[in-house]
Amino acid sequence: MGCFTFIKVMMVLFNLIIFLGGAALLAVGIWVSVDGGSFLKVIGSISAQAMQFVNVGYFCIAIGAVLVLLGFLGCCGAQKESKCLLIMFFAIIMVIFIAELAAAVVALVYSSFAESILKAWATPALKSDYGTQSDVTQIWNTTMTELKCCGFTNYTDFSGSSYYSSHHSYPPFCCQSNTTICNLAAAESSAIEGCFNRLLLTLKQNANIVGGIAAGICALEIAAMVVSMVLYCHIDKNGVS
């Protein structure tokens, strides 16, 4: 088996695994989004916020669709030795890689700018949708429960919100557990930290794991781009269209 044939076979097998994994993730995402109840019966009750899987379903659909597309382009491009499919595969991986690098640079170098962008999106959503939109409420309830935080910055994010107008109090996450009513005085004295700072702290505490996963993903993307370009150049050299 020549070097080109070996690379071609590995490219096909690797992308076939990606395709099948993406198809499985897409199927699970559709199942969860369409019939979350039956999905929860299969996996069992995990938490009081288990129906949050309905929101995770849309995320699975998006990621699964991208993986299916990448797997198809890479597998068929290598098998059929199609320059068009290979260059499309390379281009999509390149776009994803550049987007990840840009996001990492913004997050690391312009962290305050990134925070302001997130705050500009999160705070209005809290004020208008928390307590009125079930999906937004579930997402924030799960986040505040898991991270033991309150709002994006702190309890002030809920001041003048739809939730405060209807309940005349802050969400219970914004006060100590022994507080009966989470009013302004109780929220001020509890001083529960915002979810953004708690998330940053969690990421810092698991920096090695996060960095290892990020490095692994980047290495796979670079390897995929190199292999696809090697195949493309070999096909181009031999005059295959």
Side-chain angles (χ1 to χ4, degrees), residues 23 26 28 42-43 47 65 68 85 99 106-107 146 169-170 177-178 189 200 207 217 220 222 236-237:
L26 184 63
V28 170
V42 173
I43 64 173
S47 68
V68 166
L85 294 179
V106 170
E146 295 299 324
S169 64
Y170 294 94
S177 57
N178 59 354
S189 61
L200 287 181
I217 292 174
L220 285 176
I222 292 173
D236 188 55
K237 181 179 178 182

Side-chain angles (χ1 to χ4, degrees), residues 68-210:
V68 166
L69 177 61
L70 285 174
F72 172 80
L73 292 175
C75 189
C76 291
Q79 176 63 32
K80 296 181 178 297
E81 297 186 1
S82 170
K83 293 193 297 181
C84 180
L85 294 179
L86 286 173
I87 202 65
M88 287 177 63
F89 175 83
F90 177 87
I92 293 175
I93 295 290
M94 176 68 80
V95 169
I96 294 174
F97 183 74
I98 292 175
E100 290 172 348
L101 285 181
V105 169
V106 170
L108 295 175
V109 180
Y110 302 102
S111 57
S112 59
F113 176 68
E115 180 181 359
S116 64
I117 293 177
L118 289 173
K119 187 175 182 179
W121 165 81
T123 303
L126 277 174
K127 289 185 177 295
S128 61
D129 298 335
Y130 184 83
T132 59
Q133 299 290 332
S134 60
D135 53 346
V136 175
T137 304
Q138 287 177 358
I139 291 172
W140 276 104
N141 284 346
T142 301
T143 302
M144 290 188 288
T145 299
E146 295 299 324
L147 295 180
K148 295 179 174 57
C149 57
C150 169
F152 184 84
T153 305
N154 53 33
Y155 72 93
T156 58
D157 292 336
F158 294 99
S159 298
S161 65
S162 300
Y163 181 91
Y164 190 87
S165 298
S166 59
H167 294 79
H168 303 291
S169 64
Y170 294 94
F173 309 101
C174 299
C175 293
Q176 300 294 342
S177 57
N178 59 354
T179 304
T180 304
I181 299 177
C182 190
N183 53 27
L184 178 59
E188 287 180 343
S189 61
S190 298
I192 303 296
E193 196 172 17
C195 292
F196 182 77
N197 290 333
R198 291 293 303 174
L199 179 60
L200 287 181
L201 179 62
T202 302
L203 290 176
K204 289 178 181 178
Q205 291 174 342
N206 299 277
N208 292 335
I209 298 175
V210 175

Side-chain angles (χ1 to χ4, degrees), residues 4 7 86 224-236:
F4 174 76
I7 293 176
L86 286 173
M225 288 189 289
V226 170
V227 170
S228 62
M229 190 51 60
V230 167
L231 291 175
Y232 179 89
C233 292
H234 187 276
I235 293 170
D236 188 55

